[in-house]
Amino acid sequence: MELSNGVDHEQRRPLKVQIAGGGIGGLCAAIGLRQQGHHVSVYEQSAMAQEAGAAIHIAPNCNGLLQRLGLDPRQHGSVEFEGMTEYTPSGEVLKSMDLRAINHKMWQHSWELIHRAHLHSALKELAISPKGIGKPVELHLSSRVDEVDPSKASIHLSDGTEIEGDLVIGADGVHSKIRKAIPGGEKVPFDCGKSAFRFLLPTQSIAADEKTAPFLRNHNHLVMWIGTDRRLVMYPCVGGTQMNFVAIHPSEESAVDGGGDAWQQSASKGKMMKIYESFGESVAALLNKVDEPKIWTLLDMDQMPHFVHGSLAILGDAAHPFLPHQAQGGAQAIEDAVSLAALFPLGTAADEVPERLKLYEGQRYERSHKIQEYTRLAGGDLAKGQSLDMQSFTAYNVGHDEWHASTAALQKHLAAERPDTRWRTPIGFGPAPGPRQPLSLSLENPELAKIRKQTPETSSALIIRFKSSRTYLQNLLPPGFAFVSPATICEATLLCNTLDGMTWLGGGGYSFIMLQIHGIKYTKKNGDVTFGSFIPLLFEDLTDPIVTGRDDLGMPKLYAAISVTHIGDKATVAISWRGTKIGSMEFAGLCDKEQEPGLLNGNDRQKSASQGPPPPPDNGHLAWRFVPAVGRPGQADVEYPVFVPKPDPGKFFKDARVSTAAEASFEFSAGDWNSLPTLHNVTRVLAAMPKYDVLEAKHVRSHEVDDLSSAYRIE
């Protein structure tokens, strides 16, 4: 499955990523970043002849991430973890739980058990395969990274070579040299007080022994023998043909044999038998089948102050070494790796790396340390009567998807970086595209100008300016608004505008009807006055502009079907709702010439407005934002005036083509609750609106459409 987190990839060069350490975490980071389109190099100090260790848990939180990277553990010998059986040291069954049904109900992905070497080999092949997504990872074996420079994203190899890049990842394990480049990173791992014998036994040899065969009675179970200060764990791997053993005990009891913390250090079989002699004959029979166990000191470490510095990040055991008691060490390294991949999509610039790494630390620091603390508790010696809430531990550990979490964190980060980012409900899906955030791009983005040049945005407006009654229309004004003139005659405009080629609608368009009442002023509490035309109502025939206009601008928008027809020198606008007529506009005698002064439709009772008193100032559009309060009918959560300044005529109307009409008219139908059940309160007011004279009628066509992003709250 290809990694993709829905973040727009601008055409910028891939990052040069350098990873110190080719273990499970390092390879997962390499694969994830490769699939994001970056150029990745891994420097591994070993020859990678054999991956150390035995088996590893692939818990659901980890399995889902591996599947996303393109690796299915089931194709590499994993065994599903189907249950757990616990014994006392003497061999009595404490409890036996079948977990398969619960796991399948709770978790999207299965819980698998796999040999570490098989998982590592599969990751290596996936990283370097030419068939994979992106450029194959460059894997440099026997190449030890001795130090790094986070300020230059450079690494220094043991042979003296210095290599610069854009991002450095330290995945060099519990004895990491790389973490020392982080201030306060001089942390030294220490013996937690416990060590573990590790070994594998053929399942068949256990099944063939009558003393040990009963331990296999439950298919694909993890089996545990729990003592006060020691425990033995057995579970299947390699397609069920091998059983993996971990025998955890006080370090001082095997110190002579251990003397170190390497995975592959040989130990004394006799010493192991002595340490577990209290576990009974059947366990002794199991342990006696071992040829040569390996010993491993369980290491812990104080918390790092940070996981990042400059262009450097550390992951896995280099950042937070895990004890094995909850089988989350590998899973957390993989979560670290996938988090980095999610936070660095193609298009991330080199100068953005330090900031993105802070996001990584924010995603991983608390979670990894919380699971680390759970693990310490789970592995502690049990006092008499003590119990732990392992169910809540497991729920926190497993009920998480780091790809989803880091992707969401990146999207929120990118949105917060843009001061013009717009949100509207439902907010859980991220910033909302719209006319003032087309294609989720900034209005200053050059890509937006390129798209608009290829597909110009156009406006086709049919306009009727008419005289009406001030005493009637003033009832549509909210508090604080008033007519400038006390005259009982006022002017208003009914406008039908059809927009097309709109970038924010993917090149599509829509139509709207707008009523404007001219000669209005709004007086602020401090006495300042704003002049303009008030918009009491807009009808629009598309949901998207209705929602964005209400949310972004506070405009009083309603839905109606709008049909515009042009035949010769005539134009007709039909407004309806589900087949019921709301209103219409009619234009006749449209021609490309200036209209003579006076009134239309043969009415010349009054001369041009230029012969009367000067018109009131009109600096833009006024509106009233009203958001009703939930559960409190008649009350507002917020209500306030909005002002939209007039657009720059040099930008939006410089190429306008105007046709004037010889005749024009409009009408509205009142309807009722039956024909217009949600609109009759509006249409009855429109139908009763006085129409004295038509002053002007025209058809204006232009390019460039104002997105009204200049709108602002007056107070």
Side-chain angles (χ1 to χ4, degrees), residues 182-457:
I182 296 175
E186 297 285 344
K187 302 296 182 184
V188 179
F190 54 84
D191 182 351
C192 76
K194 295 293 175 69
S195 294
F197 297 105
R198 299 192 71 120
F199 53 90
L200 292 167
L201 289 177
T203 306
Q204 184 57 38
S205 72
I206 299 172
D209 187 333
E210 63 180 12
K211 289 185 178 180
T212 58
F215 296 138
L216 300 176
R217 66 167 64 95
N218 295 315
H219 186 255
N220 289 347
H221 268 223
L222 180 148
V223 181
M224 298 179 67
W225 294 262
I226 301 178
T228 303
D229 63 351
R230 65 203 64 203
R231 64 189 66 183
L232 177 65
V233 181
M234 174 185 82
Y235 57 84
C237 62
V238 195
T241 63
Q242 298 281 320
M243 298 300 289
N244 178 70
F245 286 81
V246 184
I248 301 172
H249 59 279
S251 292
E252 63 267 18
E253 296 188 28
S254 59
V256 174
D257 300 294
D261 51 48
W263 277 71
Q264 297 291 65
Q265 189 164 353
S266 297
S268 164
K269 176 178 176 179
K271 177 68 70 173
M272 180 178 68
M273 299 289 290
K274 176 70 174 175
I275 290 172
Y276 287 93
E277 64 181 351
S278 64
F279 276 41
E281 291 185 4
S282 295
V283 170
L286 272 176
L287 300 181
N288 198 40
K289 297 179 185 297
V290 182
D291 290 330
E292 184 183 58
K294 304 297 181 181
I295 190 74
W296 169 39
T297 301
L298 303 186
L299 298 178
D300 205 343
M301 190 179 80
D302 292 334
Q303 283 190 14
M304 286 285 293
H306 296 285
F307 289 170
V308 303
H309 180 55
S311 295
L312 166 67
I314 55 174
L315 63 73
D317 282 352
H320 43 68
F322 265 80
L323 300 173
H325 309 299
Q326 285 198 110
Q328 277 289 314
Q332 291 308 299
I334 293 170
E335 284 192 6
D336 291 345
V338 170
S339 176
L340 284 166
L343 295 171
F344 284 88
L346 185 64
T348 305
D351 60 5
E352 296 174 322
V353 168
E355 194 65 29
R356 294 292 175 88
L357 290 181
K358 291 178 183 177
L359 278 183
Y360 162 71
E361 180 171 283
Q363 285 299 111
R364 301 300 306 146
Y365 194 86
E366 180 180 351
R367 174 169 166 79
S368 61
H369 283 139
K370 190 170 185 178
I371 296 176
Q372 201 176 39
E373 187 57 33
Y374 285 168
T375 300
R376 293 185 183 109
L377 292 172
D381 294 340
L382 293 177
K384 187 174 182 180
Q386 181 185 8
S387 64
L388 297 173
D389 187 0
M390 297 303 296
Q391 199 167 22
S392 67
F393 290 179
T394 300
Y396 181 80
N397 298 350
V398 177
H400 181 78
D401 186 305
E402 189 55 52
W403 175 262
H404 293 159
S406 289
T407 295
L410 176 58
Q411 290 172 337
K412 290 179 181 177
H413 168 76
L414 294 175
E417 280 191 325
R418 285 172 44 183
D420 60 346
T421 295
R422 294 179 181 268
W423 295 79
R424 68 180 69 90
T425 188
I427 63 170
F429 297 88
R436 286 150 292 279
Q437 193 165 271
L439 311 181
S440 297
L441 299 175
S442 167
L443 294 176
E444 289 73 35
N445 192 305
E447 187 67 21
L448 186 58
K450 181 179 176 182
I451 294 171
R452 284 176 166 164
K453 185 175 181 180
Q454 292 172 344
T455 306
E457 297 180 342

Side-chain angles (χ1 to χ4, degrees), residues 622-664:
L622 293 159
W624 183 254
R625 181 182 184 89
F626 180 90
V627 179
V630 176
R632 291 181 287 149
Q635 298 183 45
D637 267 344
V638 292
E639 54 180 331
Y640 54 81
V642 173
F643 183 67
V644 185
K646 279 189 173 182
D648 179 3
K651 177 180 179 181
F652 295 102
F653 303 107
K654 59 184 178 182
D655 63 346
R657 183 180 169 192
V658 180
S659 298
T660 58
E663 296 183 5

Side-chain angles (χ1 to χ4, degrees), residues 18-42:
Q18 304 182 105
I19 301 176
I24 288 173
L27 288 176
C28 284
I31 294 165
L33 289 163
R34 166 192 175 172
Q35 292 178 355
Q36 290 284 54
H38 302 297
H39 296 169
V40 185
S41 297
V42 174

